[in-house]
Amino acid sequence: MKEKINAFLSSGLLEKYLIGETNFGETTLVETNIAKYPEVQNAYNTLQYNLEVVAKSNAVEAPKHVLNNILDELDDAPVISLKKSKKYKSWYKYSIAASIATLIFAGTSYLFYTQNQKLAQENQIVVEEIFDLRDDIESNNKKLDDVMYQFQQLNNPETYKYIMQGNSRAKDLKTVAYINPIEKTSLIDVVSLPQLPEEQCYQIWADLQGKMVSLGILSESDRQLRAIPYTENALALNITIEPKGGNTTASLENTVAAINLQ
Protein backbone atom coordinates (compact mmCIF):
# COMPACT_ATOMS: atom_id res chain seq x y z
CA MET A 1 0.00 0.00 0.00
CA LYS A 2 2.80 2.40 0.90
CA GLU A 3 4.48 1.74 -2.45
CA LYS A 4 1.21 2.50 -4.22
CA ILE A 5 0.89 5.83 -2.37
CA ASN A 6 4.53 6.76 -3.07
CA ALA A 7 4.06 5.93 -6.75
CA PHE A 8 1.01 8.17 -6.89
CA LEU A 9 2.79 11.06 -5.13
CA SER A 10 5.71 10.76 -7.55
CA SER A 11 3.45 10.75 -10.64
CA GLY A 12 2.94 14.54 -10.62
CA LEU A 13 -0.85 14.20 -10.79
CA LEU A 14 -1.31 16.22 -7.58
CA GLU A 15 0.57 19.17 -9.08
CA LYS A 16 -1.42 18.92 -12.35
CA TYR A 17 -4.69 18.73 -10.39
CA LEU A 18 -3.78 21.79 -8.33
CA ILE A 19 -3.21 23.97 -11.41
CA GLY A 20 -6.24 22.54 -13.28
CA GLU A 21 -4.46 20.50 -15.99
CA THR A 22 -5.94 17.04 -15.27
CA ASN A 23 -8.55 15.35 -17.46
CA PHE A 24 -11.75 13.81 -16.10
CA GLY A 25 -10.18 10.41 -15.33
CA GLU A 26 -7.11 11.94 -13.67
CA THR A 27 -9.29 14.29 -11.61
CA THR A 28 -11.39 11.38 -10.36
CA LEU A 29 -8.24 9.41 -9.46
CA VAL A 30 -6.69 12.33 -7.56
CA GLU A 31 -9.85 13.17 -5.60
CA THR A 32 -10.34 9.48 -4.70
CA ASN A 33 -6.79 9.23 -3.35
CA ILE A 34 -7.12 12.50 -1.40
CA ALA A 35 -10.27 11.23 0.28
CA LYS A 36 -8.87 7.73 0.88
CA TYR A 37 -5.28 8.27 2.06
CA PRO A 38 -4.23 10.78 4.77
CA GLU A 39 -0.69 10.87 3.29
CA VAL A 40 -2.09 12.12 -0.02
CA GLN A 41 -4.32 14.65 1.80
CA ASN A 42 -1.28 16.02 3.69
CA ALA A 43 0.77 16.26 0.48
CA TYR A 44 -2.11 18.08 -1.23
CA ASN A 45 -2.42 20.55 1.67
CA THR A 46 1.33 21.22 1.50
CA LEU A 47 1.13 21.87 -2.25
CA GLN A 48 -1.77 24.29 -1.71
CA TYR A 49 0.20 26.21 0.92
CA ASN A 50 3.28 26.44 -1.28
CA LEU A 51 1.22 27.64 -4.24
CA GLU A 52 -0.31 30.36 -2.05
CA VAL A 53 3.19 31.47 -1.01
CA VAL A 54 4.23 31.78 -4.66
CA ALA A 55 0.97 33.37 -5.83
CA LYS A 56 0.78 36.08 -3.16
CA SER A 57 4.30 37.23 -3.99
CA ASN A 58 3.59 37.56 -7.73
CA ALA A 59 0.40 39.60 -7.87
CA VAL A 60 -0.35 41.08 -11.24
CA GLU A 61 -2.75 43.86 -12.06
CA ALA A 62 -5.20 43.25 -14.85
CA PRO A 63 -4.69 45.26 -18.15
CA LYS A 64 -6.90 48.22 -19.07
CA HIS A 65 -10.19 47.40 -20.74
CA VAL A 66 -10.29 48.72 -24.28
CA LEU A 67 -14.02 48.25 -24.92
CA ASN A 68 -15.13 50.74 -22.24
CA ASN A 69 -13.12 53.52 -23.91
CA ILE A 70 -14.88 52.95 -27.25
CA LEU A 71 -18.35 52.77 -25.64
CA ASP A 72 -17.69 56.00 -23.73
CA GLU A 73 -16.80 57.75 -26.99
CA LEU A 74 -19.89 56.43 -28.82
CA ASP A 75 -22.15 57.57 -25.96
CA ASP A 76 -21.02 61.16 -26.65
CA ALA A 77 -22.17 61.07 -30.31
CA PRO A 78 -25.01 63.55 -31.00
CA VAL A 79 -28.43 62.26 -32.02
CA ILE A 80 -30.13 63.95 -34.99
CA SER A 81 -33.90 63.96 -35.11
CA LEU A 82 -35.57 64.81 -38.44
CA LYS A 83 -39.03 66.29 -38.41
CA LYS A 84 -41.45 65.65 -41.21
CA SER A 85 -41.95 68.65 -43.46
CA LYS A 86 -45.41 69.94 -43.91
CA LYS A 87 -46.82 69.97 -47.44
CA TYR A 88 -47.24 73.40 -48.90
CA LYS A 89 -49.58 74.18 -51.72
CA SER A 90 -47.40 76.89 -53.22
CA TRP A 91 -44.36 75.99 -55.36
CA TYR A 92 -42.04 78.42 -53.54
CA LYS A 93 -42.76 76.66 -50.28
CA TYR A 94 -41.48 73.45 -51.89
CA SER A 95 -38.36 75.35 -52.91
CA ILE A 96 -37.79 76.46 -49.33
CA ALA A 97 -38.32 72.90 -48.11
CA ALA A 98 -35.83 71.64 -50.71
CA SER A 99 -33.25 74.20 -49.57
CA ILE A 100 -33.73 73.21 -45.95
CA ALA A 101 -33.39 69.55 -46.89
CA THR A 102 -30.16 70.35 -48.75
CA LEU A 103 -28.78 72.14 -45.71
CA ILE A 104 -29.77 69.24 -43.48
CA PHE A 105 -28.15 66.77 -45.88
CA ALA A 106 -24.95 68.83 -45.95
CA GLY A 107 -24.90 69.07 -42.18
CA THR A 108 -25.52 65.35 -41.83
CA SER A 109 -22.78 64.56 -44.34
CA TYR A 110 -20.33 66.73 -42.43
CA LEU A 111 -21.36 65.07 -39.18
CA PHE A 112 -20.81 61.60 -40.67
CA TYR A 113 -17.43 62.69 -42.04
CA THR A 114 -16.44 63.98 -38.61
CA GLN A 115 -17.61 60.78 -36.95
CA ASN A 116 -15.68 58.68 -39.49
CA GLN A 117 -12.53 60.66 -38.77
CA LYS A 118 -13.08 60.19 -35.05
CA LEU A 119 -13.66 56.44 -35.48
CA ALA A 120 -10.50 56.18 -37.57
CA GLN A 121 -8.53 57.77 -34.73
CA GLU A 122 -10.20 55.45 -32.23
CA ASN A 123 -9.33 52.44 -34.41
CA GLN A 124 -5.70 53.52 -34.39
CA ILE A 125 -5.84 53.80 -30.60
CA VAL A 126 -7.35 50.30 -30.42
CA VAL A 127 -4.57 48.92 -32.63
CA GLU A 128 -1.93 50.51 -30.40
CA GLU A 129 -3.63 49.15 -27.28
CA ILE A 130 -3.75 45.67 -28.84
CA PHE A 131 0.03 45.81 -29.31
CA ASP A 132 0.35 46.96 -25.69
CA LEU A 133 -1.82 44.01 -24.62
CA ARG A 134 0.43 41.64 -26.55
CA ASP A 135 3.40 43.02 -24.66
CA ASP A 136 1.48 42.58 -21.41
CA ILE A 137 0.66 38.97 -22.34
CA GLU A 138 4.32 38.21 -23.05
CA SER A 139 5.29 39.84 -19.76
CA ASN A 140 2.61 37.91 -17.88
CA ASN A 141 3.71 34.64 -19.51
CA LYS A 142 7.26 35.28 -18.29
CA LYS A 143 5.95 35.97 -14.80
CA LEU A 144 3.93 32.77 -14.97
CA ASP A 145 7.07 30.83 -15.91
CA ASP A 146 8.84 32.39 -12.92
CA VAL A 147 5.94 31.43 -10.65
CA MET A 148 5.99 27.82 -11.88
CA TYR A 149 9.76 27.66 -11.36
CA GLN A 150 9.39 28.96 -7.80
CA PHE A 151 6.52 26.53 -7.19
CA GLN A 152 8.67 23.63 -8.36
CA GLN A 153 11.53 24.76 -6.13
CA LEU A 154 9.27 24.95 -3.07
CA ASN A 155 7.94 21.44 -3.72
CA ASN A 156 11.31 19.87 -4.45
CA PRO A 157 11.98 17.26 -1.72
CA GLU A 158 15.60 18.48 -1.56
CA THR A 159 14.50 22.02 -0.65
CA TYR A 160 14.80 22.89 3.06
CA LYS A 161 12.61 25.52 4.70
CA TYR A 162 14.07 27.84 7.38
CA ILE A 163 11.88 30.28 9.32
CA MET A 164 13.73 33.33 10.64
CA GLN A 165 12.00 35.32 13.39
CA GLY A 166 13.20 38.55 14.93
CA ASN A 167 14.64 38.97 18.40
CA SER A 168 13.65 41.64 20.95
CA ARG A 169 14.97 44.39 18.65
CA ALA A 170 12.58 43.40 15.84
CA LYS A 171 9.81 41.24 17.31
CA ASP A 172 7.58 41.43 14.22
CA LEU A 173 10.31 40.40 11.78
CA LYS A 174 9.61 37.16 9.94
CA THR A 175 11.21 35.75 6.80
CA VAL A 176 11.28 32.26 5.30
CA ALA A 177 14.31 30.92 3.42
CA TYR A 178 14.12 27.97 0.99
CA ILE A 179 17.51 26.39 0.26
CA ASN A 180 18.24 23.48 -2.09
CA PRO A 181 21.85 22.25 -1.68
CA ILE A 182 21.49 19.82 -4.61
CA GLU A 183 20.42 22.35 -7.24
CA LYS A 184 22.29 25.11 -5.37
CA THR A 185 19.35 27.53 -5.24
CA SER A 186 18.16 29.89 -2.52
CA LEU A 187 14.83 31.72 -2.26
CA ILE A 188 13.60 34.06 0.46
CA ASP A 189 10.06 35.16 1.30
CA VAL A 190 9.86 38.43 3.23
CA VAL A 191 6.74 38.01 5.38
CA SER A 192 7.07 41.09 7.61
CA LEU A 193 9.75 43.63 8.47
CA PRO A 194 9.37 46.26 11.22
CA GLN A 195 9.81 49.78 9.92
CA LEU A 196 13.26 51.34 10.33
CA PRO A 197 14.42 54.97 10.27
CA GLU A 198 15.04 56.22 6.74
CA GLU A 199 18.83 56.11 7.19
CA GLN A 200 18.83 52.36 8.04
CA CYS A 201 18.03 49.07 6.28
CA TYR A 202 17.92 45.30 6.84
CA GLN A 203 20.70 43.21 5.27
CA ILE A 204 20.94 39.40 5.11
CA TRP A 205 24.26 37.57 5.46
CA ALA A 206 25.56 34.01 5.10
CA ASP A 207 28.03 32.82 7.73
CA LEU A 208 30.78 31.06 5.78
CA GLN A 209 33.15 29.62 8.39
CA GLY A 210 33.26 32.87 10.33
CA LYS A 211 33.23 35.12 7.25
CA MET A 212 29.99 37.05 6.70
CA VAL A 213 28.96 37.18 3.01
CA SER A 214 26.25 39.67 2.00
CA LEU A 215 23.19 38.18 0.26
CA GLY A 216 21.43 41.50 -0.30
CA ILE A 217 19.14 44.07 1.30
CA LEU A 218 15.63 43.20 2.52
CA SER A 219 12.86 45.74 2.05
CA GLU A 220 9.25 45.83 3.27
CA SER A 221 8.27 47.42 -0.05
CA ASP A 222 9.70 44.39 -1.90
CA ARG A 223 7.67 41.66 -0.21
CA GLN A 224 7.85 38.80 -2.67
CA LEU A 225 9.44 35.40 -3.05
CA ARG A 226 12.76 36.10 -4.72
CA ALA A 227 16.10 34.45 -5.36
CA ILE A 228 19.17 35.26 -3.27
CA PRO A 229 22.74 34.11 -3.94
CA TYR A 230 23.41 30.50 -2.96
CA THR A 231 26.43 30.12 -0.64
CA GLU A 232 28.13 26.73 -0.56
CA ASN A 233 28.76 25.31 2.94
CA ALA A 234 27.09 28.25 4.72
CA LEU A 235 26.77 27.60 8.45
CA ALA A 236 24.04 30.14 9.24
CA LEU A 237 21.96 33.07 7.99
CA ASN A 238 21.93 36.41 9.81
CA ILE A 239 19.84 39.55 9.37
CA THR A 240 21.37 42.78 10.65
CA ILE A 241 20.49 46.46 10.74
CA GLU A 242 22.90 48.43 8.55
CA PRO A 243 23.22 52.00 7.19
CA LYS A 244 20.98 52.83 4.22
CA GLY A 245 22.28 51.19 1.04
CA GLY A 246 23.89 48.28 2.88
CA ASN A 247 27.30 47.60 4.35
CA THR A 248 30.41 45.72 3.22
CA THR A 249 30.97 44.32 6.72
CA ALA A 250 28.24 42.83 8.86
CA SER A 251 27.40 44.71 12.06
CA LEU A 252 26.88 41.60 14.16
CA GLU A 253 26.11 43.70 17.23
CA ASN A 254 22.99 44.82 15.31
CA THR A 255 21.77 41.28 14.53
CA VAL A 256 17.97 40.99 14.67
CA ALA A 257 17.51 37.41 13.41
CA ALA A 258 19.71 34.35 12.87
CA ILE A 259 19.30 30.66 12.10
CA ASN A 260 21.71 27.74 11.82
CA LEU A 261 21.83 25.80 8.55
CA GLN A 262 23.88 22.84 9.81
Side-chain angles (χ1 to χ4, degrees), residues 162-232:
Y162 301 93
I163 299 176
M164 301 181 67
Q165 293 182 316
N167 56 24
S168 58
R169 300 188 60 179
K171 294 181 179 179
D172 295 331
L173 184 149
K174 184 177 181 181
T175 62
V176 184
Y178 300 90
I179 300 177
N180 188 318
I182 304 301
E183 296 189 5
K184 301 186 185 306
T185 59
S186 298
L187 298 171
I188 191 164
D189 179 21
V190 177
V191 179
S192 62
L193 288 175
Q195 187 172 359
L196 287 174
E198 187 176 350
E199 66 275 8
Q200 293 179 330
C201 70
Y202 293 103
Q203 192 167 352
I204 185 169
W205 308 82
D207 184 351
L208 187 60
Q209 297 179 351
K211 180 181 178 181
M212 305 302 290
V213 179
S214 176
L215 302 182
I217 295 173
L218 303 180
S219 173
E220 177 71 18
S221 61
D222 189 29
R223 290 180 58 186
Q224 59 180 356
L225 190 66
R226 64 181 179 90
I228 58 175
Y230 176 79
T231 307
E232 188 79 34

Side-chain angles (χ1 to χ4, degrees), residues 1-259:
M1 183 64 67
K2 187 174 182 180
E3 293 180 358
K4 179 180 179 181
I5 294 174
N6 290 335
F8 173 77
L9 293 176
S10 301
S11 67
L13 284 178
L14 267 182
E15 289 82 352
K16 289 178 62 179
Y17 175 77
L18 193 60
I19 60 177
E21 292 187 354
T22 52
N23 56 35
F24 177 78
E26 292 172 334
T27 299
T28 302
L29 177 61
V30 171
E31 291 177 349
T32 300
N33 278 275
I34 290 175
K36 189 174 181 180
Y37 302 113
E39 296 91 338
V40 178
Q41 176 69 56
N42 291 336
Y44 176 67
N45 292 338
T46 300
L47 287 175
Q48 279 190 312
Y49 171 78
N50 289 339
L51 184 59
E52 289 176 2
V53 171
V54 174
K56 67 99 175 175
S57 61
N58 290 276
V60 177
E61 293 184 359
K64 296 180 180 178
H65 203 291
V66 178
L67 181 59
N68 288 338
N69 294 337
I70 298 176
L71 293 177
D72 290 341
E73 292 294 335
L74 293 178
D75 287 340
D76 295 334
V79 178
I80 302 173
S81 59
L82 301 178
K83 296 182 179 179
K84 294 183 179 180
S85 301
K86 296 181 179 179
K87 295 183 178 180
Y88 296 93
K89 295 181 179 180
S90 302
W91 64 270
Y92 65 89
K93 292 183 179 180
Y94 287 106
S95 299
I96 294 174
S99 299
I100 294 174
T102 301
L103 291 174
I104 293 174
F105 175 77
T108 304
S109 299
Y110 176 76
L111 175 62
F112 287 155
Y113 171 78
T114 303
Q115 290 298 315
N116 286 336
Q117 291 294 105
K118 191 174 182 180
L119 286 174
Q121 294 176 355
E122 291 173 350
N123 287 338
Q124 182 61 34
I125 293 174
V126 170
V127 170
E128 293 174 356
E129 291 186 351
I130 288 175
F131 279 107
D132 290 340
L133 287 175
R134 287 178 178 174
D135 292 338
D136 290 340
I137 290 173
E138 291 178 359
S139 176
N140 289 339
N141 285 339
K142 183 179 182 304
K143 290 180 180 179
L144 180 59
D145 290 339
D146 293 339
V147 168
M148 291 306 299
Y149 170 75
Q150 293 173 352
F151 183 57
Q152 291 170 357
Q153 289 298 310
L154 264 59
N155 291 297
N156 191 317
E158 301 297 336
T159 298
Y160 295 91
K161 176 180 177 181
Y162 301 93
I163 299 176
M164 301 181 67
Q165 293 182 316
N167 56 24
S168 58
R169 300 188 60 179
K171 294 181 179 179
D172 295 331
L173 184 149
K174 184 177 181 181
T175 62
V176 184
Y178 300 90
I179 300 177
N180 188 318
I182 304 301
E183 296 189 5
K184 301 186 185 306
T185 59
S186 298
L187 298 171
I188 191 164
D189 179 21
V190 177
V191 179
S192 62
L193 288 175
Q195 187 172 359
L196 287 174
E198 187 176 350
E199 66 275 8
Q200 293 179 330
C201 70
Y202 293 103
Q203 192 167 352
I204 185 169
W205 308 82
D207 184 351
L208 187 60
Q209 297 179 351
K211 180 181 178 181
M212 305 302 290
V213 179
S214 176
L215 302 182
I217 295 173
L218 303 180
S219 173
E220 177 71 18
S221 61
D222 189 29
R223 290 180 58 186
Q224 59 180 356
L225 190 66
R226 64 181 179 90
I228 58 175
Y230 176 79
T231 307
E232 188 79 34
N233 299 322
L235 302 177
L237 293 177
N238 293 68
I239 298 176
T240 62
I241 297 176
E242 303 292 347
K244 183 179 180 180
N247 209 343
T248 56
T249 304
S251 303
L252 294 179
E253 67 276 10
N254 293 330
T255 298
V256 293
I259 191 168

